[in-house]
Amino acid sequence: MRWNRKCISNMATNTVTSVLSALEMGEDDDNFKGDDLVGVAIAAYCACCVVREPRSRILNYADTVIPEYNETEFRRMFRLSRETFQKMSSYLKDCPELVVGGTGGREPIAVEKQLYVTLWYLGGSDSIIKIADRFGISESSVVLCRRRIIDAILKNLKHKFISWPKNQSLQETVDKFEQRNGFPGIVGSLDGTHIPIRAPKENAQSYVNRKKFHSLHLQAVCNSEMIFTDCFAGYPGSCHDARVLRNSDLWENGLLLCNGNHTIADGAYPLRRWLLTPFRDNGHLTYQQKNFNYMLSANRVVIERAFGLLKGRFRRLNYLDTQSIKTAVEVIMVSCVLHNICLIHNDEYDDYLEIDPALDCPRQQAMHMHENDNEGVIKRDIIARRMSGN
């Protein structure tokens, strides 16, 4: 075999890619074990340095270019305001996952720069190589920055910013929903959406959804301001919405969490005392039932808008090309946390609000009508009568 520059380059690039995959998953690669990763990475990096074509890197982008952006430019680049970015940085600065020293004689990467890198990754579809070039760091550093920020957010901020309303907050949530059109007792709007992913290596067919693409299911509840109060992600796209609900903590704890009130959802979910769904349209609905369905739908739309905003701001969710399902789920959950932080700090969102393409999927009715419980049926009938004025 004749060795040439192109052949060596391809081999080196493939080796680096394999090592980066192992780093991303936090596991040893099938071909490299333990400390071998370090030696292989160094050798492959050196080979790439010899044969790789010149790349256009932006010098001191985080330190000198970003500070010169005006507010409009900053929002266009990072999908949020500079003020919101500073709030996020303050939440993360003391997280132990981000208190790290430099390696190989290099200065440690500042928390702000790690957050910039992660937001750039979440906000677009640039490859790891392109992100590395923009921020003047290696591909492995991009993966590590993302890993550290994800770990810090999930371990320190998730439960703080995604939480079910309680006590006074619960009543305020109910009141704000009722102010929309008079529908009483709503504590949240529930629905699911599909996050497109690369076909997994194992059980790929189980991740194919009704629209025939591979996806992960994200189930969420939000309040009237589109802030998520409960998120559950990771089930394969082929799973029915009702099945995902049954396997979430919300199914077991919904009655207690709602405290006499209720969440609302579409007909894909079973009717419960704590979960109200529309009357099934059999062509013979009464005025009361039609009015109930209309009022419920007008409130339920907030979760559809929340999903549209989530995917519009964090465009990486339009297709997750990660090496593992675990990483994909973590990226989804981190995006939900950041979504809430933006809304809590009144970050403008009109430029990012999009129609969730997952809404084009045909909706499924609850798997069996007998899943509707009697208490839910009675409660729905009473509310329907009251809202119709009878």
Side-chain angles (χ1 to χ4, degrees):
M1 177 178 181
R2 182 178 179 182
W3 297 88
N4 56 38
R5 184 183 182 92
K6 183 175 181 180
C7 179
I8 296 173
S9 176
N10 289 338
M11 291 179 64
T13 300
N14 290 337
T15 302
V16 170
T17 300
S18 183
V19 173
L20 285 174
S21 299
L23 285 171
E24 176 184 313
M25 292 185 286
E27 303 170 351
D28 291 342
D29 185 87
D30 291 339
N31 299 313
F32 309 110
K33 302 295 182 182
D35 294 339
D36 292 344
L37 282 172
V38 178
V40 172
I42 293 173
Y45 177 76
C46 291
C48 286
C49 289
V50 172
V51 299
R52 181 178 284 171
E53 296 298 323
R55 284 162 50 177
S56 176
R57 290 194 169 184
I58 301 177
L59 297 177
N60 301 318
Y61 177 65
D63 298 325
T64 61
V65 178
I66 295 177
E68 296 300 316
Y69 284 153
N70 61 35
E71 182 62 23
T72 300
E73 292 169 333
F74 189 93
R75 289 182 60 82
R76 186 171 69 249
M77 294 296 181
F78 296 101
R79 320 293 288 172
L80 43 76
S81 70
R82 195 184 299 272
E83 181 180 358
T84 301
F85 174 86
Q86 291 169 347
K87 289 288 187 181
M88 290 180 180
S89 297
S90 68
Y91 296 141
L92 293 168
K93 66 179 181 179
D94 295 324
C95 293
E97 294 79 10
L98 299 176
V99 180
V100 294
T103 58
R106 296 182 180 179
E107 290 291 324
I109 301 177
V111 171
E112 290 79 6
K113 186 171 182 178
Q114 294 188 61
L115 183 55
Y116 281 136
V117 169
T118 305
L119 288 173
W120 192 278
Y121 168 81
L122 294 173
S125 57
D126 278 356
S127 66
I128 297 297
I129 291 176
K130 286 186 177 180
I131 297 173
D133 286 349
R134 174 166 289 275
F135 288 91
I137 57 179
S138 66
E139 292 100 300
S140 61
S141 291
V142 172
V143 175
L144 287 174
C145 285
R146 185 188 66 184
R147 174 80 270 145
R148 290 168 181 163
I149 293 291
I150 285 176
D151 286 347
I153 290 174
L154 294 182
K155 292 178 182 178
N156 300 279
L157 303 183
K158 176 185 172 184
H159 294 296
K160 178 180 180 180
F161 289 102
I162 300 180
S163 61
W164 196 268
K166 298 178 181 178
N167 303 323
Q168 183 61 31
S169 177
L170 180 66
Q171 187 57 50
E172 291 174 355
T173 300
V174 170
D175 291 343
K176 288 181 180 178
F177 267 113
E178 189 164 1
Q179 290 169 8
R180 292 171 61 91
N181 64 4
F183 199 117
I186 301 175
V187 297
S189 178
L190 165 71
D191 205 353
T193 189
H194 291 274
I195 308 296
I197 61 170
R198 179 205 295 188
K201 293 181 180 179
E202 298 181 0
N203 303 316
Q205 190 59 34
S206 68
Y207 289 87
V208 178
N209 61 32
R210 300 187 300 276
K211 294 288 284 185
K212 308 303 181 184
F213 63 84
H214 296 86
S215 68
L216 287 172
H217 198 287
L218 167 62
Q219 172 187 286
V221 178
C222 76
N223 64 19
S224 62
E225 297 169 324
M226 298 187 291
I227 295 173
F228 295 126
T229 55
D230 185 82
C231 293
F232 179 64
Y235 263 72
S238 64
C239 291
H240 191 287
D241 291 350
R243 180 186 173 192
V244 176
L245 173 62
R246 289 181 181 280
N247 285 278
S248 69
D249 290 341
L250 183 61
W251 180 256
E252 295 296 328
N253 303 319
L255 184 61
L256 179 63
L257 290 171
C258 289
N259 192 29
N261 298 292
H262 40 263
T263 55
I264 56 174
D266 64 20
Y269 296 94
L271 177 66
R272 287 291 184 272
R273 191 171 78 184
W274 61 271
L275 175 60
L276 298 186
T277 59
F279 290 95
R280 188 172 185 178
D281 191 355
N282 55 11
H284 302 285
L285 293 182
T286 66
Y287 166 77
Q288 287 182 0
Q289 293 171 331
K290 290 179 180 179
N291 182 64
F292 176 92
N293 285 359
Y294 172 80
M295 302 281 269
L296 184 144
S297 178
N299 281 292
R300 196 183 63 78
V301 71
V302 295
I303 187 62
E304 297 176 353
R305 285 169 54 83
F307 285 144
L309 176 56
L310 176 72
K311 294 181 179 181
R313 192 190 298 272
F314 302 111
R315 294 175 293 183
R316 182 70 56 172
L317 298 184
N318 291 315
Y319 181 69
L320 278 175
D321 187 18
T322 59
Q323 296 289 334
S324 71
I325 294 298
K326 178 177 180 290
T327 299
V329 172
E330 291 172 340
V331 169
I332 294 168
M333 294 304 298
V334 162
S335 298
C336 291
V337 175
L338 297 178
H339 164 95
N340 277 7
I341 293 175
C342 289
L343 290 179
I344 289 169
H345 291 290
N346 300 311
D347 199 284
E348 294 182 11
Y349 56 78
D350 289 344
D351 292 341
Y352 314 125
L353 190 59
E354 299 178 357
I355 300 298
D356 181 5
L359 297 177
D360 292 334
C361 292
R363 302 301 292 172
Q364 299 167 298
Q365 291 293 321
M367 290 181 284
H368 301 288
M369 287 304 295
H370 66 259
E371 291 184 351
N372 295 342
D373 70 4
N374 289 333
E375 290 184 336
V377 171
I378 294 171
K379 185 177 186 179
R380 185 173 64 180
D381 287 343
I382 291 173
I383 293 176
R385 284 198 301 270
R386 288 177 178 175
M387 289 197 301
S388 67
N390 296 330

